[in-house]
């Protein structure tokens, strides 16, 4: 990266790749929200930069042993973190996930033992680590994590019981996941909604439920789901011992 940057004046390297990386890096840096899923957009550019550097080192006959050691340390740390998440924070219980991981682990060991050069080992270790971490995250971690997203849980459990077109949001309450899984836009509750034909459902939380009752609206039926803002996870939520204290409740109540 820095070598290409220094060579800008004499045009030693093409600048489409590095220019793409810089533009997107600046956009993310100055963005109001810095969420993890913004990062993949710079992966293609960084992959080309990395491949170019490794190819240049090989052409010059330089040893990649230092890079290999560094990458192995990074890969081990990634696997340890993935292991902690899937053993301690969100334990794996499904046999198919366990067997799938053991199969991939056996394949990975067999694959790595066949690699000869440092470049092959460097690339192979990175690919295998990505494969194992990707499998654990998508087969176990994300499905369990989404159980704490109250909107999609309410959407699934009430799919056959509640018409989403008859659902309104109490002022100040938002749930993008409920809107997404029900394919409905957010509609905010006002007093005029009570003129609608029955039923009338309201999405609220445990704190604002009292506001509904104080307004004189009856709670005729109620569905509840645990809720947490999973895009801003904190350690107390990740820790199973303190997770329950971090949860709130998302409620779907019928008032008419």
């Amino acid at each position: 990266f820095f070598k290409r940057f220094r060579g800008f004046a004499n045009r030693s390297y093409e600048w489409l790749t590095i220019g793409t990386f810089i533009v997107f890096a600046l956009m993310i840096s100055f963005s109001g929200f810095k969420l993890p899923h913004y990062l993949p957009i710079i992966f293609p550019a960084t992959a080309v930069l990395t491949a170019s550097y490794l190819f240049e080192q090989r052409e010059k006959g330089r040893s990649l042993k230092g890079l290999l050691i560094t990458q192995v340390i990074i890969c081990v740390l990634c696997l340890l973190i993935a292991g902690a998440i899937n053993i301690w924070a969100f334990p794996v219980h499904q046999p198919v996930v366990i067997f799938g991981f053991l199969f991939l682990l056996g394949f990975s060991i067999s694959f790595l033992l066949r690699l000869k050069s440092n470049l092959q080992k460097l690339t192979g270790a990175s690919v295998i680590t990505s494969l194992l971490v990707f499998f654990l995250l998508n087969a176990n971690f994300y499905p369990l994590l989404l159980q704490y997203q109250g909107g999609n849980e309410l959407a699934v459990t009430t799919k056959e019981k509640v018409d989403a077109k008859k659902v309104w949001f109490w002022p100040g309450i938002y749930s993008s996941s409920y809107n997404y899984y029900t394919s409905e836009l957010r509609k905010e509750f006002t007093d005029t909604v009570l003129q609608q034909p029955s039923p009338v459902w309201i999405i609220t939380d445990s704190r604002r439920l009292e506001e509904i009752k104080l307004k004189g609206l009856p709670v005729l039926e109620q569905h509840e789901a645990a809720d947490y803002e999973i895009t801003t996870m904190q350690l107390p939520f990740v820790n199973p011992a303190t997770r329950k204290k971090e949860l709130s409740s998302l409620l779907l109540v019928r008032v008419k």
Side-chain angles (χ1 to χ4, degrees):
F1 175 85
F2 293 105
K3 187 175 181 180
R4 286 182 176 238
F5 199 81
R6 288 195 302 267
F8 175 69
N10 54 23
R11 307 281 180 172
S12 300
Y13 299 93
E14 55 86 18
W15 263 82
L16 178 61
T17 305
I18 192 66
T20 302
F21 176 86
I22 292 174
V23 169
F24 280 115
L26 289 174
M27 289 174 60
I28 294 172
S29 298
F30 290 101
S31 171
F33 296 93
K34 295 176 176 60
L35 302 176
H37 53 266
Y38 291 174
L39 293 177
I41 61 176
I42 64 173
F43 285 176
T46 53
V48 172
L49 285 172
T50 304
S52 174
Y53 174 77
L54 293 175
F55 179 78
E56 182 180 353
Q57 299 305 302
R58 191 188 68 171
E59 290 297 297
K60 293 180 178 180
R62 295 175 181 173
S63 173
L64 297 174
K65 187 175 181 180
L67 284 176
L68 177 60
I69 294 173
T70 302
Q71 189 64 11
V72 167
I73 293 173
I74 294 173
C75 290
V76 170
L77 289 175
C78 288
L79 291 173
L80 288 175
I81 294 172
I85 291 174
N86 290 275
I87 295 174
W88 168 64
F90 296 89
V92 179
H93 295 297
Q94 295 185 2
V96 64
V97 177
I98 297 173
F99 289 130
F101 178 75
L102 292 176
F103 171 79
L104 289 176
L105 183 62
F107 166 79
S108 301
I109 294 173
S110 174
F111 176 78
L112 291 173
L113 290 175
R114 298 180 183 180
L115 303 181
K116 303 299 181 182
S117 68
N118 285 342
L119 179 58
Q120 289 179 335
K121 294 176 182 178
L122 179 63
T123 307
S126 305
V127 171
I128 290 300
T129 300
S130 300
L131 174 66
L132 294 175
V133 172
F134 182 86
F135 175 80
L136 287 174
L137 291 179
N138 287 276
N140 182 68
F141 173 65
Y142 289 138
L144 292 180
L145 182 64
L146 289 177
Q147 293 179 4
Y148 297 97
Q149 197 170 38
N152 57 270
E153 289 297 294
L154 284 178
V156 172
T157 57
T158 63
K159 184 177 181 180
E160 304 298 330
K161 305 174 183 177
V162 177
D163 182 1
K165 296 183 183 299
K166 297 288 187 177
V167 175
W168 284 263
F169 284 77
W170 192 253
I173 299 296
Y174 300 86
S175 178
S176 299
S177 60
Y178 184 85
N179 298 141
Y180 176 80
Y181 285 102
T182 58
S183 301
E184 289 290 330
L185 295 176
R186 180 183 183 276
K187 304 188 296 289
E188 187 165 301
F189 178 83
T190 61
D191 291 340
T192 58
V193 173
L194 296 174
Q195 300 174 10
Q196 298 277 343
S198 298
V200 172
W201 293 86
I202 297 177
I203 287 186
T204 185
D205 59 19
S206 52
R207 291 182 296 109
R208 290 180 173 86
L209 181 60
E210 289 302 317
E211 296 179 9
I212 293 177
K213 294 179 178 179
L214 290 174
K215 203 173 179 64
L217 298 175
V219 178
L220 304 175
E221 191 175 345
Q222 178 175 310
H223 300 276
E224 183 175 353
D227 190 49
Y228 183 82
E229 189 60 51
I230 61 176
T231 58
T232 57
M233 277 192 299
Q234 302 292 327
L235 185 58
F237 170 77
V238 176
N239 184 355
T242 57
R243 182 177 303 155
K244 191 173 182 179
K245 298 178 182 178
E246 301 298 312
L247 301 178
S248 60
S249 295
L250 194 66
L251 306 173
L252 180 59
V253 297
R254 182 166 67 88
V255 298
K256 180 181 177 181

